[in-house]
Amino acid sequence: MKAVIVRKPGGVEELEIGEVSTPKPEGNEILVKVYAAALNRADIMQRQGKYPPPAGVSEILGLEIAGEVFSAGNKVEKWKKGDKIFGLVPGGGNAEFAVIDERMANPIPSNLSYEEAAAIPEVFLTAYQALYWHAKLKKGEKILIHAGGSGVGTAAIQMAKIIGSVIYITASKEKHSMCLNLGAKAAIDYKNENFEEKVTQLTEGKGVDVIIDFLAGPYFMQNLKSLTFDGRLIMLATLGGTKMENANIGSILSKRLTIIGSNLRGRTRDYQIKLNNEFYEYAYEKFRDGVLKPVIDKVFNWKDVAKAHLYMEANKNTGKIVLKIFD
């Protein structure tokens, strides 16, 4: 089969579509003919050599797939050939065929395309985990979502709206209208505005109850100052770096703050299955009825995977970038 290959860690010039062995489904695994796969920051970092896949996982890029069941392992009970599914994989998604644990696969709602389905797993599971499992966000609480125009950001806005929270986001100016349309009450231009000062104004000095953050180091102190008493900071990435200077963490104690670091790829299979099942039970009808929707910025033919990577690296996308594998 053909797959996206990283010749060696580096820039997009190291990407190519080449021939590799087709994986064989074993036990509870199903082999999926992949019609669409979504792009994530993890793919960029893995290509650069900064985020190796977990032990035993395919080195082929790609964490989100949508397609048809092609064959199944000898313990599979849930699926049959031809079933249309989407789901989260630990790697191997940027290929003509990929294997997935049958318990991590979900039926595609009839109103969604393969491209739309592929744009769901990583970002919606991450957002659901952050809002419901970690932050335990409640109706009426105020939340600040950094990178509101990202895949996780657009998913988190929609779910926070369903909860009934007051939503503020940071994003570049050109992404504000999408975030506001999805349910944000106010959008902060992080390039030209100080988000700490804006949060103080918007909340009349009280701060927000929850912050979803991807930047880490450079935002850490401003995040602490932007939280109210008993606030919760959920850190999902360290895109801005891990170092801080002149940090004063006294407010963690004085305001009784909770700081939770989280990821998804490094979790156990049992954890991911539990999260996937709970999320899909929550979300299936919402996707079917249009209450939740995957936000896609652009679909690339997978032969243009290098262009897709550059597009994401330039932060041009609002929502997801998807690779189309088969027509």
Side-chain angles (χ1 to χ4, degrees):
M1 70 170 185
K2 290 182 171 61
V4 175
I5 297 172
V6 181
R7 287 188 291 259
K8 66 178 186 291
V12 297
E13 69 278 1
E14 300 300 337
L15 295 170
E16 69 175 13
I17 295 179
E19 289 289 338
V20 300
S21 299
T22 302
K24 295 181 180 179
E26 299 179 354
N28 291 313
E29 294 176 332
I30 53 176
L31 180 66
V32 179
K33 183 177 182 180
V34 181
Y35 283 87
L39 187 63
N40 288 280
R41 289 281 173 184
D43 299 312
I44 305 293
M45 295 174 65
Q46 183 175 327
R47 187 204 75 219
Q48 295 170 338
K50 299 176 182 178
Y51 189 40
V57 169
S58 171
E59 294 186 359
I60 296 171
L61 304 179
L63 305 178
E64 301 171 281
I65 63 170
E68 290 186 3
V69 176
F70 189 79
S71 63
N74 58 10
K75 294 183 180 179
V76 170
E77 299 178 351
K78 187 176 179 181
W79 304 102
K80 65 182 185 301
K81 186 173 182 178
D83 286 342
K84 297 180 179 181
I85 68 96
F86 73 99
L88 181 72
V89 293
N94 289 182
E96 291 180 316
F97 293 90
V99 291
I100 183 173
D101 188 303
E102 68 167 333
R103 297 162 294 183
M104 290 297 295
N106 308 293
I108 299 177
S110 60
N111 59 311
L112 297 184
S113 66
Y114 286 120
E115 291 79 13
E116 290 170 322
I120 293 173
E122 173 73 14
V123 294
F124 276 91
L125 284 172
T126 297
Y128 184 87
Q129 176 187 234
L131 296 182
Y132 285 89
W133 284 20
H134 297 326
K136 296 179 172 58
L137 185 66
K138 302 178 184 65
K139 181 179 180 179
E141 287 191 316
K142 296 179 176 64
I143 181 172
L144 173 64
I145 301 171
H146 288 305
S150 66
V152 176
T154 54
I157 291 169
Q158 294 179 68
M159 285 189 276
K161 179 182 178 182
I162 291 171
I163 291 170
S165 302
V166 180
I167 306 161
Y168 309 123
I169 64 98
T170 63
S172 53
K173 187 69 175 178
E174 63 271 15
K175 301 181 181 183
H176 284 190
S177 60
M178 172 65 78
C179 296
L180 294 170
N181 288 337
L182 289 174
K185 181 177 181 180
I188 301 166
D189 180 2
Y190 73 92
K191 292 182 178 180
N192 298 299
E193 295 178 295
N194 182 306
F195 77 81
E196 177 194 339
E197 293 177 356
K198 290 294 294 184
V199 167
T200 298
Q201 296 171 11
L202 291 166
T203 63
E204 298 179 341
K206 295 178 182 178
V208 295
D209 300 282
V210 173
I211 295 178
I212 305 297
D213 178 55
F214 306 86
L215 279 296
Y219 275 15
F220 190 75
M221 287 309 304
Q222 286 180 279
N223 282 335
L224 297 188
K225 294 176 181 178
S226 299
L227 286 165
T228 190
F229 287 89
D230 298 308
R232 291 90 76 196
L233 170 60
I234 314 301
M235 300 178 65
L236 300 179
T238 57
L239 296 178
T242 59
K243 306 296 184 182
M244 296 182 295
E245 293 184 4
N246 302 318
N248 182 346
I249 60 174
S251 60
I252 297 175
L253 297 179
S254 62
K255 292 200 286 187
R256 304 182 298 273
L257 304 180
T258 299
I259 301 172
I260 298 175
S262 184
N263 60 33
L264 188 52
R265 193 181 193 187
R267 300 284 190 178
T268 65
R269 181 63 55 84
D270 287 344
Y271 180 100
Q272 292 183 355
I273 290 169
K274 181 181 178 182
L275 176 64
N276 181 71
N277 291 343
E278 184 177 309
F279 168 74
Y280 200 69
E281 183 177 349
Y282 156 89
Y284 177 77
E285 291 184 357
K286 295 179 177 63
F287 281 119
R288 185 196 63 194
D289 298 339
V291 177
L292 286 175
K293 60 180 179 179
V295 177
I296 296 177
D297 183 282
K298 194 167 185 178
V299 177
F300 288 84
N301 185 292
W302 76 318
K303 294 177 182 178
D304 295 321
V305 62
K307 293 180 181 179
H309 276 232
L310 289 173
Y311 192 76
M312 176 171 277
E313 288 185 59
N315 293 317
K316 293 181 178 179
N317 56 300
T318 302
K320 295 291 290 181
I321 298 169
V322 176
L323 302 177
K324 192 170 187 176
I325 310 296
F326 285 103
D327 291 328

